[in-house]
Amino acid sequence: MTITPLDTLDFDGEPFDVLAWSLALEPAVSPAPRSSSTAPEAPAPSSAVPAVRHTTAPAQSATAPAPSATVPVAAGGTPADPISALLHEVRSELVTAHLSAMDVQTALQRRALASLGRGEHIARTDTGIAPASPTWAEQSFAVMVDYTPATGLAVSAAPGHPVVFELPAPATTMNAFKFLARTPITTLNGADLAALGRGEIAAVFGPAYDQEGVNPDIRLTDGTHATLTEVLEIAGREGPWARGRLRATCRVDGPDPVTAATELTWQAAQVFAVRAGLQLCLAGARFQAGEPFEVTVSAPMTGPVELIADVVQIDLLPRPWLRINAEIRCAGAVVARVHGLTLEVAEEPGLPIGPEAGGEIPRFLGRRNAFGQRALLGEFHMTHSARGDLGIALGPEFSAYAGRRATRMPNHGLQLCDRVMAVDGRRGQLDAGSSHTEYDSPADSWYYLESADASMPNVVYMETSLQSALLLGYFLGATLTSPGEDFSLRNLDGSATVLREVDLRDKTIQQTSRLTDTTVLVGVVLQTFSYELSVDGEPFYAGQSLFGFFNAPALANQNGLDNGELVPTWLDSQDRRPDVRVIDVAARRAAGTGMPCAVGHLAMLDRIETVDSAGTYGLGYLRATRPVAADDWFFGYHFYLDPVMPGSLGVEAVIQAMQEWTVDSGLAAELVAPEFVLPVGVSLSWRYRGQILASDELMTLEVHIKSVERRPGRIRVIADASVWKPSMRIYELIDVAVELRDAGARPW
């Protein structure tokens, strides 16, 4: 690990310009005073807290050597040279403007998160308990459940309408809950339900649910007034909230309809919870009841009945939990409704549930992978690292980041690392280290449904590899070098290569990341990584990348790729505007015929301008723009309180422009049954010197086609590209490639 002041930082012979201006223009001082000064802290975040269900736990810099180069300064710390003084003033104003924009970004993020979290909190009203009605006409009861494995289910009820739950918006493909284990089992017979009553979950749902006695208290409750006899359907994304549905036949044994309805709904909640794998997050876990709920009875409940339970909410924060509504029907007529029953999975009091100080794992935390191997950290911890308590995710040193702009994993559908299986390294030792992590890629994931590619799109290849690397550096303590600072994480440089074609649907991707170097600067920590992704024991993707952790002033001081100048696109720089052909992507997407287009969240472009036989290489030129709005979906998922468009989505937009050009140019017509795949053996390189923010109004990209290659059953297009925000060029991409493959074509 190297600790040095930052005047200029070179990569491959080119000066790293994000911070050079502000720090190079600092007054020249002796080493001692320089080490005593501190960079200004980021503005305090707004006190408004988004309406999300989460908790927070209770809550070294080295002396830098003298700079090797200085700028003459006058009294007060400004440069003595008039030109330098003017540049210093302009730079200061620019940093101030960027800091103000970051404050706006945080406020917008809180609003977006409040929208995402709708329904995850409870609005209480007065109980309004009234005397019981002598008839069965829509009697409503305030119900409270107390449950322990030892004593069973205790139901207390009184007439009234005690609680109003805010109904959430239906889940989308992006924020749908991902089950922690996969199984084809969607129905259960009496023997299966009896096995769940004995706690034999793996015997029913398969080995992915096996915890080897870690959670003996997780078992299906026996009913005294009613019980499930057969589960007809367990669906993960059905129902009015698209979060899950369970249908079952039931038997009623007692005269109390309120208790019978409660017992049936509680059993349904338990079955759905274990099928979703909520218990897999914790060791020593047990079910417990949540908030009060409402039971409405309209007729006696006798004989066989049918239950339909819909999952209203399901999440892992602050602990695994779900809330369901249910209808109970007798002879086709609704006789009871249960509204807002909440089941929680809690750990045994006093047991640690996350890393201790120094990142030490105090005990087995309960999570095993699909192969039965123990994980250090699981989905529960990854979810906390994205939008919960960083102290639970990483250790108590990180609890102080609660409510602050801090480094986070992306959340929901962009959270592409599920488990940490092993870490080789110690917290605070940043010279080297490695980790093994995993990501499960279900076949119904949003990116398979919305991509034009035959398999996983490039954006997910990039994100899952980069996220596993950044998690390693963060876990080892990159930001703990200056614990008082609020650091934002940004990817700066990288290259990656697809090693082989593979269909990753329903596969577990195993990620190996290696930290190769750390450099600690004033307000910045830079780390380089190499990584490799494997599936079924064989690597399929490899790369290396540079990350930067930036405090607010450092992040605000960005010059782009061209030292602060706004360099125009190739098309805008032509003395005589060439003939432009327009590809109407939106119309082709709407038509839904021919080669597939990216849709939904992945639909990045609607219109592309092309110039034939033009551009840097004379083989074709593309330009496209995308409006940027504060409510664009990705700002709510990347990152919590630090919203920014993923750089990988900018790369994805370039790839989509190339795919559309390939189709428009007639290349797809050369093949019988063409489909897009990621090209094997082409090393994509990128440089990022800025990011698209919610305050930016437009993203512009251009592509210079550099080669079109053909082999039997395959066509490959390679290009160089750039991406702009309104004030500067921020991405440079070398050797971006797309490929068309015929069914059954031999590998390239």
Side-chain angles (χ1 to χ4, degrees):
M1 180 175 68
T2 308
I3 301 178
T4 179
L6 179 60
D7 288 300
T8 59
L9 178 63
D10 291 336
F11 297 107
D12 298 327
E14 296 184 41
F16 172 73
D17 50 20
V18 176
L19 303 173
W21 274 98
S22 62
L23 295 179
L25 293 176
E26 287 183 357
V29 292
S30 61
R34 184 180 179 91
S35 67
S36 64
S37 64
T38 58
E41 289 192 4
S46 165
S47 61
V49 178
V52 294
R53 188 179 174 100
H54 71 281
T55 59
T56 54
Q60 58 221 21
S61 61
T63 302
S68 59
T70 61
V71 176
V73 296
T78 59
D81 175 63
I83 299 299
S84 297
L86 178 60
L87 289 173
H88 185 278
E89 181 179 353
V90 170
R91 181 61 52 195
S92 298
E93 292 296 328
L94 182 62
V95 170
T96 300
H98 273 287
L99 288 172
S100 298
M102 290 170 67
D103 285 343
V104 173
Q105 287 288 110
T106 300
L108 290 169
Q109 176 80 82
R110 291 185 185 277
R111 288 183 59 187
L113 287 168
S115 175
L116 285 174
R118 282 179 302 178
E120 296 187 10
H121 64 288
I122 298 167
R124 295 186 177 276
T125 64
D126 293 335
T127 56
I129 294 176
S133 169
T135 71
W136 284 108
E138 293 295 329
Q139 293 186 76
S140 294
F141 297 84
V143 178
M144 192 69 189
V145 167
D146 181 24
Y147 172 77
T148 64
T151 62
L153 193 70
V155 179
S156 59
H161 301 271
V163 176
V164 175
F165 294 95
E166 292 189 9
L167 296 181
T172 67
T173 57
M174 181 58 65
N175 65 17
F177 183 81
K178 186 174 84 169
F179 285 15
L180 275 68
R182 300 193 294 274
T183 177
I185 304 300
T186 59
T187 62
L188 304 175
N189 58 29
D192 296 327
L193 292 169
L196 293 181
R198 297 188 298 270
E200 299 170 1
I201 298 171
V204 175
F205 291 121
Y209 293 78
D210 189 2
Q211 290 186 291
E212 295 186 4
V214 170
N215 286 323
D217 289 338
I218 298 293
R219 59 184 65 235
L220 182 62
T221 304
D222 291 329
T224 57
H225 287 67
T227 188
L228 303 184
T229 56
E230 185 178 8
V231 175
L232 306 175
E233 175 190 25
I234 310 173
R237 297 188 183 178
E238 300 296 328
W241 292 277
R243 291 184 171 91
R245 166 169 284 183
L246 183 145
R247 294 191 304 113
T249 58
C250 318
R251 184 185 70 250
V252 177
D253 299 319
D256 181 355
V258 174
T259 299
T262 299
E263 288 182 348
L264 293 178
T265 307
W266 180 254
Q267 291 171 27
Q270 290 177 315
V271 171
F272 196 94
V274 297
R275 170 66 171 77
L278 297 188
Q279 75 284 356
L280 300 176
C281 290
L282 300 169
R286 54 187 173 82
F287 291 133
Q288 68 180 28
E291 304 289 339
F293 56 97
E294 182 181 27
V295 175
T296 301
V297 177
S298 58
M301 197 181 305
T302 59
V305 298
E306 181 186 20
L307 174 139
I308 300 175
D310 290 312
V311 179
V312 179
Q313 275 287 28
I314 181 170
D315 203 352
L316 299 182
L317 301 184
R319 299 295 187 272
W321 68 285
L322 60 80
R323 179 178 297 130
I324 64 176
N325 291 350
E327 284 186 352
I328 299 170
R329 299 175 181 177
C330 184
V334 176
V335 296
R337 290 183 174 89
V338 177
H339 180 75
L341 183 145
T342 302
L343 176 146
E344 301 172 353
V345 179
E347 75 280 4
E348 185 177 335
L351 290 180
I353 58 172
E356 295 183 339
E360 296 295 326
I361 308 299
R363 67 181 185 118
F364 174 46
L365 299 177
R367 188 64 171 117
R368 295 181 185 272
N369 66 6
F371 313 107
Q373 300 165 326
R374 290 187 173 192
L376 295 182
L377 304 172
E379 291 89 340
F380 172 66
H381 303 94
M382 297 301 97
T383 304
H384 271 285
S385 76
R387 51 191 175 90
D389 184 347
L390 285 169
I392 290 176
L394 302 172
E397 301 97 316
F398 294 86
S399 293
Y401 289 121
R404 292 164 51 184
R405 181 195 299 269
T407 299
R408 293 273 186 173
M409 293 284 282
N411 62 72
H412 290 294
L414 277 182
Q415 181 182 319
L416 302 174
C417 181
D418 289 333
R419 293 173 296 279
V420 177
M421 301 303 298
V423 175
D424 181 10
R426 296 184 62 83
R427 182 160 294 171
Q429 296 180 1
L430 302 179
D431 290 323
S434 64
S435 67
H436 299 281
T437 58
E438 292 183 344
Y439 170 65
D440 298 327
S441 181
D444 61 353
S445 296
W446 63 276
Y447 44 82
Y448 291 122
L449 303 175
E450 299 179 2
S451 174
D453 293 81
S455 186
M456 181 181 284
N458 180 78
V459 60
V460 183
Y461 271 68
M462 291 184 71
E463 281 296 312
T464 187
S465 58
L466 296 174
Q467 288 177 30
S468 60
L470 77 88
L471 183 63
L472 170 62
Y474 198 33
F475 182 84
L476 293 178
T479 63
L480 299 180
T481 55
S482 299
E485 296 277 11
D486 288 348
F487 282 101
S488 294
L489 177 82
R490 299 292 185 264
N491 185 215
L492 299 173
D493 296 286
S495 63
T497 305
V498 177
L499 305 178
R500 62 187 178 101
E501 287 182 12
V502 59
D503 189 345
L504 296 167
R505 290 174 176 85
D506 282 335
K507 297 289 188 178
T508 293
I509 297 171
Q510 297 174 311
Q511 307 139 329
T512 300
S513 304
R514 296 178 179 84
L515 172 64
T516 57
D517 184 65
T518 299
T519 302
V520 180
L521 308 163
V522 179
V524 182
V525 180
L526 300 173
Q527 293 190 310
T528 54
F529 297 88
S530 63
Y531 43 80
E532 183 178 83
L533 306 186
S534 300
V535 68
D536 298 331
E538 293 292 331
F540 67 89
Y541 188 72
Q544 47 277 323
S545 197
L546 168 69
F547 286 93
F549 297 88
F550 298 92
N551 69 6
L555 187 65
N557 187 34
Q558 299 180 76
N559 292 321
L561 287 163
D562 304 301
N563 203 27
E565 295 184 22
L566 179 56
V567 174
T569 65
W570 176 89
L571 186 59
D572 291 331
S573 66
Q574 301 304 300
D575 294 333
R576 180 179 176 277
R577 185 174 177 84
D579 293 333
V580 173
R581 186 178 74 259
V582 173
I583 302 174
D584 191 341
V585 183
R588 197 169 83 81
R589 185 183 301 121
T593 58
M595 289 291 296
C597 285
V599 297
H601 300 89
L602 281 181
M604 297 296 293
L605 303 173
D606 287 338
R607 183 176 182 274
I608 303 168
E609 297 176 299
T610 72
V611 183
D612 295 326
S613 303
T616 301
Y617 305 102
L619 294 178
Y621 172 83
L622 321 176
R623 188 180 73 168
T625 60
R626 184 193 192 280
V628 176
D631 62 354
D632 276 328
W633 68 268
F634 38 78
F635 291 128
Y637 296 87
H638 185 276
F639 302 100
Y640 176 77
L641 295 185
D642 186 18
V644 59
M645 188 185 85
S648 55
L649 268 182
V651 178
E652 189 67 24
V654 168
I655 288 174
Q656 290 179 22
M658 294 174 63
Q659 289 176 332
E660 293 298 323
W661 179 85
T662 301
V663 173
D664 185 74
S665 299
L667 296 175
E670 299 180 21
L671 305 178
V672 177
E675 58 186 7
F676 283 111
V677 295
L678 296 184
V680 172
V682 181
S683 178
L684 165 66
S685 299
W686 63 89
R687 297 176 64 216
Y688 300 154
R689 292 298 182 269
Q691 55 276 317
I692 301 294
L693 305 175
S695 55
D696 294 322
E697 297 180 350
L698 193 71
M699 178 184 77
T700 302
L701 63 85
E702 73 172 12
V703 179
H704 298 267
I705 305 297
K706 65 194 301 185
S707 70
V708 178
E709 305 173 28
R710 291 173 170 83
R711 291 193 182 178
R714 292 181 181 268
I715 297 171
R716 178 177 289 184
V717 179
I718 301 177
D720 295 341
S722 293
V723 175
W724 281 257
K725 62 192 298 178
S727 57
M728 63 185 73
R729 186 171 68 103
I730 55 174
Y731 304 167
E732 181 179 71
L733 312 175
I734 305 298
D735 288 344
V736 194
V738 300
E739 187 169 318
L740 282 168
R741 175 191 67 186
D742 241 342
R746 294 175 59 85
W748 189 272

